[in-house]
Amino acid sequence: NVQPENDTTFTNYFQTLDHAEALLVNLELNVRNMMCTSKEANPQVIAGEIADSTGATYMSDPRELSAASYTQAKWVDFYTTINAADLILDNLHRFPLDKEILKLYELQAYFSKGLSYFHLAQRWGDCPITKGSLYLEKLAKSPEAEVLEEATKWALKAMELPEFENLKDADGKQRKTKQYASKGAAAALLAHIYAWRAAVESKPEYWGEAEKYCTMLINGEVGHYGWARDPEEVCSNVLKRDHSE
C-alpha cells in the first residue's frame, strides 16, 4: 500500500484527467502511425497515389507488385494501436473520476479498435483477436469472419460518441482536430465495414446496413458535413484543414 514517489506504476497513475488525456494522445499517435506511416495501411498507396517518379519504396514496391511488399508486411502497427486502446479500457476503473467524463475516453478506444480490426481483416483475413492489454500468451489466428465481427462490434459501440462539433477535451474545450473519432466517423467506419462484409462474406443483407450508415452521413443525422463541389475543391481547400467536409 506504499505509493512510490519517484516512479510511475499502476498504483500511482490513472488518477487525473491529465493522465486520461495522455493515454488518449498515445492512442491517437498510434492511430496516426497505423494509418499514415505504415506501408501496410498508407492511404496514398491504397488509393493508388499517382507519382511518376519516387524513391520511396513504400510507394514504388506495391505499385510494381513487389512480392516483398506482401510477404514481408507487418501488422505490428495495428496491434500496437489495439494495445493502446486496451490500455485505456483495462484501466478506466482505476480513475477516481466521474463515469460520464471517462465514457468519452472509452468511446475513443472503441473506435480505434474497430478501425484496427477492420484494416487487419482487409489486409490479412485471418488474424489473432487480442484479449486485453494484460494478456501475454500466444494467440492463434481467428477466421476472417470473426475478425470482421470484432471490428463491427467495436464500431457499433463507438456510435455513442458525440457528433464532431460536440467533442470536448479535458478542459471542456471543443476538439478541433478531426483525427478524434466522432459519431460521424463511427458511421463512416460502419459503412465501410458492412460494404466489405457484404462482398467478402457474400451477405447481401449487409449492403442495406452500409447504405443506412451512408444515409446518416448524407442527411446530417450524425453531425454536419458539407461536401466539396468537385475534386479541385478537395485539393485547394479540404486538404488545408477546417473545411466542412
Side-chain angles (χ1 to χ4, degrees), residues 3 65 69 78 108 123 125-126 129 154 160 193:
Q3 294 285 342
L65 299 182
S69 298
F78 302 88
Q108 291 289 338
R123 285 152 186 74
D126 298 353
I129 295 175
W154 296 113
E160 291 186 49
I193 291 174

Side-chain angles (χ1 to χ4, degrees), residues 14-62:
F14 311 111
Q15 296 296 315
T16 69
L17 268 179
D18 284 344
H19 293 165
E21 281 290 312
L23 289 171
L24 181 57
V25 168
N26 175 63
L27 173 60
E28 295 300 337
L29 174 63
N30 282 290
V31 170
R32 185 187 68 180
N33 289 341
M34 177 181 76
M35 295 302 299
C36 299
T37 62
S38 168
K39 69 178 183 179
E40 280 74 53
N42 190 283
Q44 290 88 347
V45 173
I46 295 166
E49 180 177 35
I50 298 174
D52 293 335
S53 177
T54 176
T57 56
Y58 80 91
M59 284 175 50
S60 60
D61 285 357

Side-chain angles (χ1 to χ4, degrees), residues 211-227:
E211 183 178 4
K212 179 179 77 174
Y213 288 103
C214 286
T215 301
M216 287 182 184
L217 284 159
I218 294 169
N219 292 344
E221 299 171 25
V222 287
H224 174 70
Y225 297 96
W227 307 103

Side-chain angles (χ1 to χ4, degrees), residues 7-229:
D7 201 3
T8 299
T9 73
F10 276 71
T11 61
N12 64 0
Y13 202 70
F14 311 111
Q15 296 296 315
T16 69
L17 268 179
D18 284 344
H19 293 165
E21 281 290 312
L23 289 171
L24 181 57
V25 168
N26 175 63
L27 173 60
E28 295 300 337
L29 174 63
N30 282 290
V31 170
R32 185 187 68 180
N33 289 341
M34 177 181 76
M35 295 302 299
C36 299
T37 62
S38 168
K39 69 178 183 179
E40 280 74 53
N42 190 283
Q44 290 88 347
V45 173
I46 295 166
E49 180 177 35
I50 298 174
D52 293 335
S53 177
T54 176
T57 56
Y58 80 91
M59 284 175 50
S60 60
D61 285 357
R63 289 178 57 202
E64 296 168 4
L65 299 182
S66 167
S69 298
Y70 308 97
T71 59
Q72 297 178 13
K74 299 177 179 64
W75 55 27
V76 61
D77 289 333
F78 302 88
Y79 283 105
T80 301
T81 301
I82 291 170
N83 185 71
D86 282 334
L87 188 64
I88 293 175
L89 296 174
D90 293 343
N91 292 286
L92 282 179
H93 70 279
R94 299 177 185 273
F95 283 93
L97 299 171
D98 188 273
K99 290 184 178 180
E100 288 300 313
I101 293 175
L102 296 175
K103 184 71 172 179
L104 298 175
Y105 297 91
E106 181 181 4
L107 293 171
Q108 291 289 338
Y110 288 161
F111 177 86
S112 296
K113 290 191 73 170
L115 181 68
S116 301
Y117 278 115
F118 176 48
H119 284 294
L120 281 167
Q122 278 189 314
R123 285 152 186 74
W124 283 279
D126 298 353
C127 301
I129 295 175
T130 67
K131 297 182 179 181
S133 62
L134 301 178
Y135 189 88
L136 302 178
E137 302 298 323
K138 290 183 178 181
L139 292 165
K141 293 179 182 179
S142 295
E144 180 180 13
E146 292 182 17
V147 181
L148 285 168
E149 185 63 30
E150 187 77 1
T152 306
K153 176 183 75 175
W154 296 113
L156 285 169
K157 284 176 174 286
M159 280 297 291
E160 291 186 49
L161 278 160
E163 296 174 358
F164 177 74
E165 48 267 32
N166 295 323
L167 286 178
K168 298 291 191 297
D169 63 15
D171 297 322
K173 297 179 181 178
Q174 182 181 1
R175 294 191 189 275
K176 296 184 178 180
T177 304
K178 291 183 178 178
Q179 178 171 332
Y180 291 105
S182 65
K183 186 181 289 291
L189 176 58
L190 282 164
H192 278 287
I193 291 174
Y194 278 119
W196 186 267
R197 296 188 69 175
V200 171
E201 297 183 75
S202 299
K203 293 184 177 179
E205 63 271 23
Y206 283 153
W207 287 120
E209 290 297 305
E211 183 178 4
K212 179 179 77 174
Y213 288 103
C214 286
T215 301
M216 287 182 184
L217 284 159
I218 294 169
N219 292 344
E221 299 171 25
V222 287
H224 174 70
Y225 297 96
W227 307 103
R229 295 186 305 273

